[in-house]
Amino acid sequence: MVSELNMKFGISEALTFQSGAGGLVKALLRHVSGAEAEVYLYGAHVTAWRSPAQGELLFLSNKAVYGGGKAIRGGIPVIFPQFSGLGNLPTHGFARTALWKVDSSHVQENGDVVLKLYVSDQEISQSSVKELWPHRFRFTYSVVLSERLRTDIEILNQGTQPLSFQLALHTYFNVSAIENVAVKGLKGLKYLDNVKNREEGLNEESDVKFSGEYDRIFLQAPDRLEISDKTRTFVIDRRNMPDAVVWNPWIEKCKSLTDMEPADYKRMVCVESGNIVPSVSLGGGETFSCSQTLSVK
Ligand code: TA6
């Protein structure tokens, strides 16, 4: 499998496929700047993004489980076609535990390394899912590495009937310590508070900081959000992904997660770009596209 993938899609220096954790196949992308990213075919899951200057930029749990129908804890889980429990599918949908396939790979003129993965209804084997979400679709996910990390999404409704979905890139950022972190750009936004049974609220904080379990879906957020940490700032640029989820499990919730160390809440924050409320409606034959670009300064 790995050697076949390297024959077909490998690009010397820029893109190699390897056997990763749990025997799952992962791709290693290397950019001329020295930036690197790792992507598992399982879940099309970006598990690492690192830069020579800043090191590991995404949080990845040392207790993550690889395969077996459980999502890898950390990196960038792809949430589709349902966010959290907002529907009758398994929490956060089936994309993050599906086995994606390689569509293509190339290095652009400007040096960006591109790995394009896809999953369709053909690759979804769980019959229960097909009953609950009986649509023909193709989800194409492009991981584009330069000094930045861009993830482009195209979702095609291959059926004739309309379908609707929720979507999010559930990005886990690696932070120095949660008490050093502030999420900027959310002032004045309506949110749904998942810690208070999705109670609606209005955010007055220019800087969202953390002192307990935090789990809010911010609606219609600006295209640019920032996460300031002690010595660096993450910049999240979003196209056509208006909602933003901010999550930190804090002490008790973190302890309850078997695939996180009890102290892991201190070194991560999730800021997730998405299309959650309302869901996206897609007519037969129509395509939805959106994108997230991560950079650090
Ligand atoms: O994005 C926030 C959230 O919906 C939280 O409620 C928490 O459940 C988190 O996702 C992680 O969910 P998971 O199913 O990956 O454990």
Side-chain angles (χ1 to χ4, degrees), residues 7 15 54 57 75 161 177 234 273:
M7 291 272 287
L15 174 66
Q54 302 271 2
L57 298 166
Q161 298 307 309
F234 292 100
S273 301

Side-chain angles (χ1 to χ4, degrees), residues 71 73 83-84 91-92 96 170 172 194 215 245 247 253 257 272:
R73 179 69 65 187
F83 184 81
S84 187
T91 301
H92 282 331
R96 63 178 186 167
H170 196 297
Y172 287 72
N194 289 324
D215 188 352
V245 184
W247 178 58
K253 175 89 185 243
L257 296 171
E272 310 155 34

Side-chain angles (χ1 to χ4, degrees), residues 3-284:
S3 53
E4 199 180 309
L5 285 167
N6 279 318
M7 291 272 287
K8 277 183 82 174
F9 302 107
I11 305 168
S12 64
E13 303 301 312
L15 174 66
T16 51
F17 293 86
Q18 310 164 354
S19 179
L24 300 176
V25 175
K26 71 176 178 181
L28 175 62
L29 288 72
R30 285 193 190 89
H31 180 254
V32 289
S33 65
E36 292 185 341
E38 293 184 2
V39 192
Y40 278 80
L41 300 191
Y42 180 77
H45 200 128
V46 174
T47 50
W49 168 42
R50 55 180 83 98
S51 82
Q54 302 271 2
E56 295 292 346
L57 298 166
L58 299 179
F59 164 84
L60 182 66
S61 170
N62 297 326
K63 294 180 72 178
V65 174
Y66 291 80
K70 186 162 176 63
I72 299 169
R73 179 69 65 187
I76 309 178
V78 178
I79 308 299
F80 174 84
Q82 173 185 299
F83 184 81
S84 187
L86 297 175
N88 53 12
L89 287 169
T91 301
H92 282 331
F94 52 72
R96 63 178 186 167
T97 53
L99 200 49
W100 293 57
K101 291 184 174 170
V102 181
D103 175 279
S104 59
S105 62
H106 66 278
V107 178
Q108 288 176 333
E109 286 281 299
N110 63 4
D112 290 9
V113 183
V114 183
L115 173 64
K116 198 177 267 196
L117 305 177
Y118 74 92
V119 74
S120 75
D121 49 284
Q122 304 299 308
E123 283 74 43
I124 303 301
S125 54
Q126 304 102 312
S127 54
S128 57
V129 165
K130 287 185 175 297
E131 278 157 35
L132 293 168
W133 205 78
H135 301 295
R136 290 189 46 236
F137 73 96
R138 181 180 172 102
F139 186 137
T140 304
Y141 188 58
S142 300
V143 179
V144 183
L145 179 70
S146 57
E147 293 89 345
R148 293 172 302 285
L149 178 64
R150 196 176 87 230
T151 42
D152 297 338
I153 288 173
E154 284 209 345
I155 297 167
L156 166 64
N157 177 355
Q158 291 185 309
T160 55
Q161 298 307 309
L163 60 82
S164 69
F165 61 84
Q166 296 146 6
L167 171 69
L169 293 175
H170 196 297
T171 311
Y172 287 72
F173 292 90
N174 184 26
V175 298
S176 60
I178 191 65
E179 55 268 22
N180 297 332
V181 170
V183 181
K184 299 169 176 291
L186 299 169
K187 185 173 173 67
L189 298 182
K190 207 186 284 185
Y191 63 81
L192 304 178
D193 191 339
N194 289 324
V195 175
K196 295 178 183 165
N197 202 20
R198 292 201 191 108
E199 181 185 291
E200 203 169 285
L202 188 67
N203 175 48
E204 302 295 348
E205 305 295 321
S206 305
D207 289 1
V208 166
K209 294 186 178 180
F210 302 87
S211 57
E213 183 180 356
Y214 195 101
D215 188 352
R216 294 182 178 178
I217 304 172
F218 291 90
L219 307 181
Q220 303 303 312
D223 285 347
R224 172 164 286 196
L225 298 173
E226 294 194 349
I227 307 169
S228 71
D229 190 358
K230 199 161 61 173
T231 59
R232 65 188 177 204
T233 296
F234 292 100
V235 179
I236 308 168
D237 288 309
R238 305 115 46 77
R239 175 178 60 78
N240 204 19
M241 299 184 92
D243 301 330
V245 184
V246 178
W247 178 58
N248 185 282
W250 211 251
I251 300 168
E252 290 317 313
K253 175 89 185 243
C254 191
K255 269 188 205 155
S256 76
L257 296 171
T258 55
D259 56 355
M260 283 181 85
E261 302 284 357
D264 276 347
Y265 75 95
K266 295 179 182 173
R267 60 189 189 96
M268 52 69 68
V269 66
C270 283
V271 178
E272 310 155 34
S273 301
N275 304 75
I276 301 168
V277 180
S279 301
V280 176
S281 297
L282 204 52

